[in-house]
Amino acid sequence: MGTVGRSSIVRKPNESMRLIVTTFVGVVLGFLIGVSFPTFSLTKLSIPSGLLPSIDHKYIDKTLSSTLSSVKSNNSPQEHNLNDTSKIWVPSNPRGAEILPPGIVVSESDFYLRRLWGKPSEDLTIKQKYLVTFTVGYDQKSNVDAAVKKFSENFTILLFHYDGRTTEWDEFEWSKRAIHVSVPKQTKWWYAKRFLHPDIVAPYDYIFIWDEDLGVEHFDAEEYIKLVRKHGLEISQPGLEPNRGLTWQMTKRRGDREVHTETEEKAGWCSGPRLPPCAAFVEIMAPVFSRDAWRCVWHMIQNDLVHGWGLDFALRKCVEPAHEKIGVVDAQWIVHQTVPSLGNQGEAQNGQQPWQGVRERCRKEWTMFQTRMTNAEAAYFKAKGIDPSSSKAH
């Protein structure tokens, strides 16, 4: 028999100890990995693809997500409540933005032009206080050019192009700093409903929404604003030259005053001295709205009624008292040249000329708008259990 060497006797205890230590270290590492498991992603491991040719990472991530969801669903109620309080929900935020922190929400915009370089805080050398829009065709370029030049650098200029021609306007220097929106054969009220949302025009104190066929020889925009502020007009228009393009007595210019808010009309035209068209009335060719008034009027504009007929009789719904805050500025007056350019954008149908079809649509829209307003008010008062005939306020 050979003698058992000393080295063989010592080896066995050493191997046992190594096994125990290795097992212990493995348990500890496994525990630590398990604790940090929710934030561990196999897809982030830098393992050469050749070593794991058959592993489907998407399947692994999906499996891990399902496992973690199951674990979270079994958490204690106390832990679940703590997770809920870490979520953001601000009911006063704009609709759809309730899950954002209020400090990051920007609910309003503007038409200010910005650079593509430099610091954003240094983009604007001036912030215009007013907005003027014209719905235009290139054939009226000379008239529009004369009109735009009546508005100072305090005005943002916005052109709505109904004929699809925009680049031609660059012959005018002011056109290069104007905003151009082009959609063929649309009206200014179609444009206004879609591009003049109150949150877009919020920076502007007053919004001018004008036609293209207005003579402005006797008009100055800055002076007009001064008079509107002085007399507290929320909705207004310049007086019209008495001998051209006049439909209503209310909008006729008076030479003996700065503004007027009431008039006398033909017998039977007014249901009351403080009601349109004897008061609380301006036409839709050249209206001017304060910021607050426009916020109301915009919501009243119907999406499918593009001509705006009937809107002038309903403007009084948006200011109070309307017979004082809607008026005509006589000291700054214009001429309505009645150019039938928009009518020519129609189509000949059933033997009618293009302008005839447009005019017929205008009349239909007026009736439809009146019916909708009447029905909406009736439904409101009925739901509230109110008899509007007994209310002087109505």
Side-chain angles (χ1 to χ4, degrees):
M1 291 179 64
T3 304
V4 177
R6 184 176 180 180
S7 60
S8 63
I9 296 175
V10 175
R11 186 182 300 115
K12 290 181 179 180
N14 287 346
E15 290 177 352
S16 299
M17 182 60 68
R18 186 180 296 111
L19 179 61
I20 294 172
V21 171
T22 302
T23 303
F24 177 76
V25 172
V27 171
V28 172
L29 288 176
F31 174 77
L32 293 176
I33 292 175
V35 171
S36 60
F37 193 78
T39 60
F40 183 72
S41 175
L42 290 178
T43 60
K44 294 182 180 179
L45 289 177
S46 300
I47 301 176
S49 59
L51 297 179
L52 299 172
S54 62
I55 293 179
D56 187 342
H57 286 230
K58 292 183 179 179
Y59 173 78
I60 292 174
D61 278 350
K62 183 176 180 180
T63 303
L64 292 179
S65 297
S66 299
T67 302
L68 292 176
S69 297
S70 176
V71 171
K72 288 182 178 179
S73 66
N74 293 327
N75 287 343
S76 66
Q78 182 179 2
E79 185 176 348
H80 182 71
N81 290 336
L82 289 175
N83 288 338
D84 284 347
T85 59
S86 68
K87 295 181 179 179
I88 295 174
W89 183 260
V90 185
S92 59
N93 277 359
R95 186 176 62 179
E98 295 89 349
I99 59 178
L100 295 176
I104 200 63
V105 174
V106 180
S107 60
E108 298 177 348
S109 188
D110 54 61
F111 288 114
Y112 299 146
L113 299 179
R114 292 185 174 274
R115 307 174 301 176
L116 305 183
W117 65 92
K119 298 179 180 179
S121 60
E122 298 175 355
D123 283 348
L124 305 178
T125 57
I126 182 175
K127 288 186 177 182
Q128 290 83 10
K129 296 186 293 184
Y130 318 115
L131 173 68
V132 58
T133 77
F134 294 93
T135 303
V136 303
Y138 188 65
D139 290 344
Q140 296 299 316
K141 65 175 183 176
S142 297
N143 200 65
V144 174
D145 176 51
V148 168
K149 289 177 179 177
K150 292 291 185 174
F151 294 85
S152 72
E153 63 177 6
N154 281 327
F155 287 80
T156 293
I157 309 298
L158 173 54
L159 298 189
F160 296 129
H161 300 270
Y162 61 75
D163 62 353
R165 302 174 67 181
T166 57
T167 56
E168 293 92 331
W169 290 84
D170 282 348
E171 67 181 87
F172 303 112
E173 187 62 30
W174 54 261
S175 176
K176 299 174 183 178
R177 60 179 175 84
I179 309 294
H180 297 265
V181 177
S182 178
V183 183
K185 297 188 176 183
Q186 299 301 322
T187 72
K188 74 176 181 181
W189 298 110
W190 183 92
Y191 285 112
K193 187 65 174 178
R194 287 150 183 83
F195 297 101
L196 300 182
H197 187 280
D199 289 343
I200 301 297
V201 301
Y204 305 106
D205 293 344
Y206 293 94
I207 299 99
F208 293 60
I209 304 180
W210 280 22
D211 288 354
E212 63 182 339
D213 59 342
L214 303 176
V216 292
E217 181 181 355
H218 304 282
F219 178 83
D220 181 279
E222 292 285 354
E223 293 301 317
Y224 184 92
I225 293 292
K226 291 178 182 178
L227 291 172
V228 166
R229 292 188 189 278
K230 177 181 177 181
H231 294 275
L233 299 180
E234 296 291 321
I235 301 176
S236 63
Q237 75 161 76
L240 294 179
E241 161 62 40
N243 300 319
R244 296 184 62 182
L246 191 65
T247 302
W248 309 100
Q249 289 297 312
M250 178 64 186
T251 55
K252 178 179 178 180
R253 173 189 173 242
R254 300 181 184 180
D256 60 347
R257 63 196 67 189
E258 290 183 334
V259 305
H260 71 270
T261 58
E262 59 183 20
T263 191
E264 292 184 0
E265 263 294 354
K266 297 176 182 178
W269 280 31
C270 301
S271 57
R274 292 184 173 181
L275 296 176
C278 288
F281 178 82
V282 296
E283 295 187 68
I284 59 174
M285 71 181 73
V288 180
F289 304 93
S290 70
R291 180 192 297 107
D292 291 340
W294 177 246
R295 182 168 290 277
C296 174
V297 172
W298 184 89
H299 285 90
M300 187 168 59
I301 297 172
Q302 304 294 286
N303 211 46
D304 58 331
L305 306 185
V306 298
H307 289 288
W309 278 40
L311 190 62
D312 41 10
F313 279 77
L315 294 176
R316 65 188 180 91
K317 308 287 185 181
C318 285
V319 293
E320 185 67 32
H323 66 280
E324 295 179 3
K325 295 189 176 182
I326 299 178
V328 175
V329 178
D330 299 288
Q332 295 294 321
W333 51 284
I334 60 176
V335 176
H336 188 204
Q337 298 170 342
T338 60
V339 177
S341 52
L342 187 60
N344 294 333
Q345 297 295 310
E347 292 184 1
Q349 290 183 343
N350 302 322
Q352 289 185 325
Q353 295 297 318
W355 68 267
Q356 291 176 311
V358 172
R359 179 55 63 95
E360 182 179 343
R361 167 75 178 254
C362 290
R363 294 194 179 101
K364 288 180 178 178
E365 287 194 6
W366 191 352
T367 300
M368 293 172 68
F369 181 81
Q370 288 178 317
T371 300
R372 291 181 188 182
M373 179 62 77
T374 300
N375 292 343
E377 290 185 332
Y380 171 82
F381 288 120
K382 181 179 180 181
K384 293 291 184 178
I386 300 173
D387 180 7
S389 63
S390 61
S391 173
K392 292 182 179 180
H394 179 69

